[in-house]
Amino acid sequence: LETTTEMDLLALAVYIVTFLTGLPSNVLALYAFSLKVRLKPLPIDILLINLTVSDLIFLLFLPFKMAEAFYDQQWVLPNFLCSLSAFIFFSTIYISTLFLTAVSVDRYLGVAYPFTYKKKRHPLYVIMVCIFIWIFSSAHCSIVYITEHFRPENASDNYSLCYDDFTEEQLAILLPVRIELCVVLFFIPLIISAFCYLNFIHILNTLANINHKKKQRAIGLALGTLLVFILCFLPYNITHIVGYIHRKSPKWRRFVLLLSTFNACLDPIIFYFSSSAFQETFKKFFFIQCNCLVDLLLTFKGKMISTWSSNSSALVHSVGTHIEYTY
């Protein structure tokens, strides 16, 4: 992209599309998983609920990024919202990676050690894992607040950059932490997820009593998760390595950050392959919307026919009266 304005327009478009597609699908997913957990709280559903909540928090704070892109990356909102929105933006990226990894481990253990895992799994254990993921990721991403604390006071409080254009002192703190983030919160989870899903698919293919649809859903789940890791998170984490080597953030970092926002849109695809409850809820919702659309069209058609008939009758009556008056 040649100019900053073009990049800002692209960012604004990506944020709007992500918000409009991600919000309703994640709300629908949260509703489906909540109903299922009330009936029977399984580890996979608890993990997916937390992943959905993480996506919804990200989406609810996305309008702040829209405002930033609209004003050419100038932060015109209150200063405390800068650190808060940046913290939410980056922490939810790593929260998502850890929950996606936890889902892969749950799937793998379920097929590799079905009887042992079924006996020992308990909702309380999964809840403890979820609490750990939220605290662990949030603590690591608190570097946002530390970095902003070391930012010199800007001459203008109304038009300043938010979490960008770092000083040498800030980069000395930030760059090593970014390396730790990409290793601990991305590459290790990526390796674990790849191991779990490759073995998961291999074990399923050796089982003759698993029907074809379930195998397809399992493969879709694995590919969808790895797609999110590679498409949404890998380029962003590579910028950490490049930035550490060159001692500054690469210019294309802003572009790959846009890819990470698609995570909120792609996660519902993983939900679809992971949970039959979400599939049923999605089908019911789609069926209801189709029925509402058909009813709306039929009602509109009926009103148009009624209006046309009334106008035709009035016209015939008017013509008849005119003819009678003339003759």
Side-chain angles (χ1 to χ4, degrees):
L1 296 177
E2 297 179 356
T3 65
T4 305
T5 303
E6 290 177 351
M7 187 63 195
D8 292 333
L9 290 175
L10 175 63
L12 185 61
V14 170
Y15 293 150
I16 291 174
V17 170
T18 302
F19 184 82
L20 294 179
T21 58
L23 187 62
S25 58
N26 279 281
V27 169
L28 188 64
L30 183 63
Y31 172 75
F33 297 141
S34 299
L35 291 179
K36 191 174 180 183
V37 165
R38 287 181 182 179
L39 298 175
K40 188 178 181 181
L42 295 176
I44 182 67
D45 297 315
I46 297 174
L47 292 172
L48 291 177
I49 280 182
N50 281 269
L51 181 57
T52 307
V53 170
S54 173
D55 287 342
L56 286 173
I57 292 174
F58 171 83
L59 290 166
L60 290 176
F61 277 83
L62 200 55
F64 296 123
K65 301 295 289 184
M66 295 181 197
E68 185 182 28
F70 182 80
Y71 287 105
D72 297 329
Q73 297 304 304
Q74 299 297 318
W75 191 260
V76 298
L77 300 172
N79 288 333
F80 79 94
L81 287 176
C82 165
S83 299
L84 180 60
S85 63
F87 171 75
I88 294 296
F89 188 89
F90 295 111
S91 62
T92 51
I93 289 176
Y94 291 114
I95 289 172
S96 294
T97 61
L98 293 182
F99 276 120
L100 288 172
T101 304
V103 170
S104 70
V105 172
D106 176 81
R107 287 300 192 185
Y108 169 68
L109 293 177
V111 296
Y113 311 99
F115 299 107
T116 304
Y117 183 62
K118 189 174 182 180
K119 289 180 181 179
K120 293 186 177 181
R121 69 180 181 181
H122 192 277
L124 181 61
Y125 301 152
V126 184
I127 292 173
M128 292 174 64
V129 170
C130 293
I131 294 173
F132 171 78
I133 289 175
W134 282 99
I135 295 175
F136 189 69
S137 298
S138 300
H140 275 77
C141 292
S142 62
I143 185 65
V144 171
Y145 286 100
I146 297 173
T147 305
E148 283 296 304
H149 176 73
F150 279 89
R151 176 180 290 277
E153 290 294 331
N154 200 302
S156 174
D157 292 332
N158 294 326
Y159 292 93
S160 58
L161 295 175
C162 176
Y163 201 65
D164 198 1
D165 193 23
F166 301 110
T167 65
E168 291 294 330
E169 292 78 8
Q170 289 175 307
L171 290 174
I173 300 171
L174 183 61
L175 294 177
V177 176
R178 282 180 174 176
I179 289 292
E180 193 260 349
L181 286 174
C182 74
V183 172
V184 176
L185 296 181
F186 176 73
F187 283 109
I188 292 177
L190 175 60
I191 293 171
I192 294 173
S193 295
F195 171 82
C196 290
Y197 278 129
L198 290 176
N199 284 278
F200 175 67
I201 293 172
H202 173 71
I203 294 171
L204 283 183
N205 286 330
T206 60
L207 299 176
N209 59 335
I210 303 296
N211 63 50
H212 184 64
K213 286 186 177 181
K214 285 189 176 181
K215 287 184 179 181
Q216 280 188 327
R217 194 171 74 181
I219 294 173
L221 168 65
L223 294 178
T225 304
L226 295 177
L227 176 66
V228 169
F229 268 100
I230 295 171
L231 177 63
C232 298
F233 302 139
L234 179 60
Y236 164 66
N237 283 276
I238 288 177
T239 64
H240 294 343
I241 301 173
V242 175
Y244 183 79
I245 294 173
H246 294 284
R247 308 306 299 173
K248 63 178 181 179
S249 299
K251 293 181 179 179
W252 45 275
R253 176 180 169 84
R254 281 189 61 198
F255 178 75
V256 298
L257 273 174
L258 296 181
L259 294 177
S260 66
T261 63
F262 287 117
N263 167 54
C265 301
L266 294 177
D267 278 346
I269 299 176
I270 298 175
F271 301 156
Y272 187 86
F273 286 105
S274 302
S275 173
S276 57
F278 181 68
Q279 291 181 18
E280 292 299 322
T281 303
F282 179 81
K283 290 176 182 177
K284 288 179 181 178
F285 177 79
F286 184 75
F287 180 75
I288 291 172
Q289 295 304 312
C290 288
N291 283 341
C292 291
L293 181 61
V294 170
D295 291 341
L296 182 63
L297 291 174
L298 291 175
T299 303
F300 179 75
K301 180 181 178 181
K303 288 183 178 179
M304 290 293 293
I305 293 174
S306 177
T307 303
W308 182 81
S309 299
S310 299
N311 291 339
S312 298
S313 299
L315 179 61
V316 170
H317 178 73
S318 176
V319 172
T321 304
H322 177 73
I323 294 173
E324 182 179 346
Y325 174 79
T326 304
Y327 289 98

